């Protein structure tokens, strides 16, 4: 590989690591036609992890880190003193094909700073996907980051070639976006989301392909004073209003020569983790934002325990529940029981009365679930009334050894 290309790759792959939305879940399984290359599987892109624990794909790059905007929280902002680089369309296409043939990747995640204009940038990104699909028969996964304010026609063209489209909401509140990224337009971002939502829904009704893995977004947390409750409220509105497949949360990290409007310390990664757990409860466990927030304090989630356990400890009058008679919705609220385990329990109890050993075989979280469950051979009595129940269910964290 040419040294110039290696240098560009080093700069633009590093610049892309701050974008958390890299999963390919939801992609339609697809194999290349004769003469083509690549495939897409539900397991998605190969992932690697950065030292701070973020999940990134192996070929996750920016088209360029030049940018017209000067967002305070972004390392690639116009006024940032970082090395700049830019790929051409053909360079990204060739890198993707070369890396795929070497079995380094299963797809491409392409984002970009905004150069010249939103239309020009979106067109360049669309051409990468179109060239891969049309000229090379590439059937691997492609995720394109849409550029707000780009022409609706370009967004629609991008959706013809990409598996997933996404546009970053950036911050949970419009007021914070106006303060930290005054050149960005919150209504324009949501308008782009709305357009993609309509096109995706139309394509499904007409049984044609348009961004079959749906759309997602990313939100930075910890760059402003927005509470977790406000973050989750925004997420809930995005899921219901725009049919998003995922909202990704990215804990704010200080950047060089940062604005005084930004915090000096990074947001704790545990906050990011708790938001993902809460997001899961919103989508799959029937919790509302208000119920999740009630498990914490002052609108912030409890960082020491997961949101489901926090809610259960504050609603002890709802427990224990009989595993053989309780409704599925109530079993989903038992700490330690995931949705798959609950489905197995509901299916199994049609044929037999489940005992504690049966639950142990169906769920790995029995230790946490015991105080909240009743079985024919287990009655926790007044265990849920114990003042030290929280301490009994949470073990102090410890650093594990890397070597046996």
């Amino acid at each position: 590989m040419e040294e110039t290309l290696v240098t560009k790759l080093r700069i633009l792959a590093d610049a892309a690591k701050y974008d958390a939305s890299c999963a390919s879940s939801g992609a339609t399984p697809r194999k290349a036609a004769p003469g083509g290359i690549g495939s897409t599987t539900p397991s998605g892109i190969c992932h690697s992890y950065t030292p701070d624990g973020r999940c990134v794909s192996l070929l996750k790059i920016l088209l360029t880190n030049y940018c017209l905007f000067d967002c305070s929280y972004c390392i690639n902002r116009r006024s940032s003193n970082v090395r700049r680089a830019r790929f051409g369309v053909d360079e990204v296409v060739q890198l993707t094909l070369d890396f795929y043939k070497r079995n380094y990747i299963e797809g491409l995640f392409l984002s970009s700073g905004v150069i010249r204009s939103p239309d020009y940038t979106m067109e360049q990104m669309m051409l990468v996907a179109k060239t891969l699909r049309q000229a090379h028969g590439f059937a691997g996964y492609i995720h394109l980051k849409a550029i707000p304010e780009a022409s609706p026609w370009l967004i629609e063209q991008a959706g013809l070639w990409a598996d997933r489209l996404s546009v970053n909401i950036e911050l949970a509140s419009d007021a914070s976006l106006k303060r930290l990224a005054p050149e960005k337009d919150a209504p324009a971002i949501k308008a782009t989301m709305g357009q993609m939502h309509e096109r995706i829904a139309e394509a499904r009704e007409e049984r044609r392909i348009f961004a079959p893995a749906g759309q997602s977004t990313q939100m930075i947390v910890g760059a402003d004073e927005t509470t977790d409750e406000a973050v989750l409220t925004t997420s809930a509105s995005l899921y219901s209003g725009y049919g998003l497949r995922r909202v990704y949360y990215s804990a704010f990290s200080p950047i060089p020569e940062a604005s005084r409007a930004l915090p000096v310390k990074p947001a704790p990664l545990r906050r990011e983790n708790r938001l993902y757990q809460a997001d899961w409860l919103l989508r799959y466990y029937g919790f509302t934002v208000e119920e999740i927030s009630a498990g914490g304090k002052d609108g912030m989630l409890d960082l020491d325990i997961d949101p489901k356990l926090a809610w259960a400890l504050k609603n002890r009058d709802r427990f224990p529940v009989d595993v053989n008679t309780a409704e599925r919705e109530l079993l989903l609220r038992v700490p330690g029981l995931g949705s798959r385990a609950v489905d197995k329990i509901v299916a199994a109890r049609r044929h037999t009365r489940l005992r504690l050993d049966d639950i142990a075989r169906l769920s790995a979280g029995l230790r946490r679930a015991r105080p909240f469950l009743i079985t024919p051979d287990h009655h926790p009595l007044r265990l849920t009334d114990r003042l030290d129940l929280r301490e009994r269910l949470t073990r102090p964290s410890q650093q594990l050894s890397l070597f046996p």
Side-chain angles (χ1 to χ4, degrees):
M1 188 182 298
E2 295 179 4
E3 184 60 31
T4 304
L5 195 57
V6 172
T7 302
K8 287 182 182 180
L9 184 59
R10 186 175 298 123
I11 294 172
L12 295 174
D14 184 69
K17 70 184 178 184
Y18 299 97
D19 203 322
S21 48
C22 60
S24 62
S25 57
T28 305
R30 180 177 55 235
K31 291 184 178 179
I37 185 172
S39 63
T40 300
T41 65
S43 57
I45 303 174
C46 295
H47 294 94
S48 60
Y49 294 86
T50 60
D52 62 358
R54 294 174 192 277
C55 176
V56 296
S57 65
L58 197 55
L59 185 56
K60 180 181 175 184
I61 54 176
L62 299 186
L63 186 70
T64 178
N65 63 344
Y66 289 100
C67 192
L68 294 174
F69 294 105
D70 203 36
C71 308
S72 300
Y73 47 80
C74 182
I75 188 118
N76 299 314
R77 67 191 188 280
R78 183 177 67 236
S79 60
S80 180
N81 185 25
V82 296
R83 294 182 70 188
R84 306 283 181 173
R86 175 185 170 182
F87 281 128
V89 170
D90 291 341
E91 289 177 320
V92 177
V93 169
Q94 197 56 52
L95 277 173
T96 304
L97 294 174
D98 288 348
F99 279 19
Y100 191 89
K101 289 175 181 176
R102 292 172 188 168
N103 203 27
Y104 289 173
I105 61 168
E106 293 184 59
L108 170 68
F109 176 93
L110 185 63
S111 185
S112 180
V114 180
I115 48 174
R116 296 193 190 179
S117 69
D119 277 357
Y120 176 79
T121 309
M122 193 68 243
E123 181 182 36
Q124 296 296 295
M125 297 174 70
M126 182 273 291
L127 287 175
V128 169
K130 184 176 181 179
T131 305
L132 279 168
R133 297 286 195 227
Q134 279 200 328
H136 300 280
F138 183 71
Y141 179 82
I142 297 178
H143 180 161
L144 292 184
K145 187 72 73 176
I147 307 296
E149 301 183 50
S151 158
W153 184 84
L154 287 169
I155 300 290
E156 293 192 20
Q157 286 294 302
L160 297 177
W161 312 112
D163 290 280
R164 174 167 286 186
L165 295 175
S166 60
V167 55
N168 286 348
I169 193 74
E170 307 284 4
L171 296 166
S173 83
D174 292 354
S176 293
L177 186 67
K178 188 173 183 179
R179 182 168 63 88
L180 298 178
E183 295 163 324
K184 291 201 169 177
D185 186 350
I189 293 173
K190 291 176 181 174
T192 305
M193 283 184 175
Q195 181 199 348
M196 293 193 295
H197 178 44
E198 289 177 3
R199 297 290 88 75
I200 291 168
E202 288 175 0
R204 285 178 182 159
E205 288 181 2
E206 298 168 3
R207 297 186 177 182
R208 59 184 174 82
I209 296 176
F210 182 91
Q215 66 165 320
S216 59
T217 192
Q218 178 184 337
M219 198 183 303
I220 301 169
V221 294
D224 60 355
E225 300 300 324
T226 305
T227 64
D228 291 337
E229 182 175 11
V231 169
L232 292 171
T233 299
T234 299
S235 297
S237 69
L238 293 175
Y239 284 127
S240 61
Y242 302 98
L244 264 63
R245 298 293 290 270
R246 287 290 302 273
V247 175
Y248 291 88
Y249 305 97
S250 178
F252 168 75
S253 297
I255 56 178
E257 303 174 20
S259 164
R260 291 181 180 179
L262 295 172
V264 177
K265 295 183 178 179
L269 286 176
R270 184 167 290 185
R271 182 182 177 190
E272 183 181 294
N273 177 245
R274 296 298 180 217
L275 282 169
Y276 276 118
Q277 291 173 326
D279 187 281
W280 214 257
L281 296 183
L282 275 179
R283 290 188 293 146
Y284 299 111
Y285 288 79
F287 282 80
T288 64
V289 172
E290 291 74 20
E291 288 175 324
I292 296 170
S293 302
K297 186 178 180 182
D298 299 329
M300 301 298 288
L301 299 176
D302 190 328
L303 294 184
D304 294 327
I305 56 176
D306 69 80
K308 193 174 179 184
L309 178 58
W311 178 85
L313 290 174
K314 289 197 173 181
N315 292 273
R316 300 185 189 200
D317 57 307
R318 309 271 299 265
F319 301 101
V321 298
D322 191 323
V323 74
N324 285 296
T325 59
E327 295 181 353
R328 180 178 183 274
E329 289 70 23
L330 192 51
L331 288 176
L332 283 172
R333 295 185 172 234
V334 174
L337 294 186
S339 59
R340 291 184 180 179
V342 169
D343 287 341
K344 291 177 182 175
I345 289 171
V346 171
R349 71 186 188 184
R350 294 173 187 158
H351 309 287
T352 184
R353 286 183 61 78
L354 298 171
R355 303 174 71 84
L356 204 58
D357 286 347
D358 299 319
I359 304 303
R361 283 190 285 272
L362 297 174
S363 171
L366 179 62
R367 190 185 72 83
R368 280 154 43 86
R370 281 179 73 115
F372 304 97
L373 288 178
I374 294 175
T375 63
D377 59 337
H378 172 67
H379 294 268
L381 299 177
R382 302 183 65 81
L383 192 55
T384 51
D385 294 333
R386 291 183 61 114
L387 294 176
D388 63 345
L389 181 57
R390 175 184 173 120
E391 288 69 29
R392 290 168 65 94
L393 293 174
T394 54
R395 294 172 177 167
S397 59
Q398 58 177 332
Q399 176 63 54
L400 300 177
S401 173
L402 295 175
F403 306 100

